[in-house]
């Protein structure tokens, strides 16, 4: 999880005018609920939603793929 932090920090800064980042600790009660609701089995988990709440992209269990995220950034 911590290995993904620098990339996610950078993306959060780059996309601050386009996206809202929400980081959740899965060890909290609300984090466990989110993990169950979205069926997250592995961490880190990065989920991207559109403005209507539809899931556009997901990657779990590994550092986020910078190529895929770069494509999302261009949209």
């Amino acid at each position: 999880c911590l290995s993904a932090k620098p990339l996610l920090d950078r993306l959060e800064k780059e996309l601050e005018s386009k996206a809202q980042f929400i980081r959740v600790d899965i060890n909290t009660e609300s984090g466990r609920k989110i993990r169950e609701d979205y069926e997250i089995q592995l961490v880190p988990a990065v989920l991207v939603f559109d403005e209507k709440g539809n899931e556009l992209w997901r990657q779990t269990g590994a550092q986020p793929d910078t190529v895929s995220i770069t494509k999302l950034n261009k949209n």
Side-chain angles (χ1 to χ4, degrees):
C1 296
L2 293 177
S3 66
K5 187 178 182 328
L7 174 62
L8 294 174
D9 289 345
R10 189 187 85 220
L11 286 170
E12 184 171 14
K13 186 174 182 176
E14 288 177 12
L15 297 173
E16 67 185 339
S17 65
K18 293 182 178 181
Q20 178 181 12
F21 278 68
I22 301 170
R23 297 178 192 220
V24 177
D25 180 348
I26 62 166
N27 295 314
T28 64
E29 185 177 337
S30 58
R32 286 188 292 274
K33 173 81 170 115
I34 290 169
R35 187 180 68 212
E36 290 172 14
D37 290 351
Y38 291 98
E39 300 176 355
I40 296 168
Q41 301 296 316
L42 300 169
V43 292
V46 178
L47 287 72
V48 178
F49 299 90
D50 67 13
E51 63 278 352
K52 295 179 182 175
N54 299 309
E55 188 175 318
L56 299 175
W57 182 79
R58 166 189 296 237
Q59 182 168 341
T60 61
Q63 182 163 324
D65 176 356
T66 55
V67 173
S68 296
I69 291 177
T70 300
K71 289 178 185 177
L72 286 170
N73 187 14
K74 293 180 180 178
N75 293 334

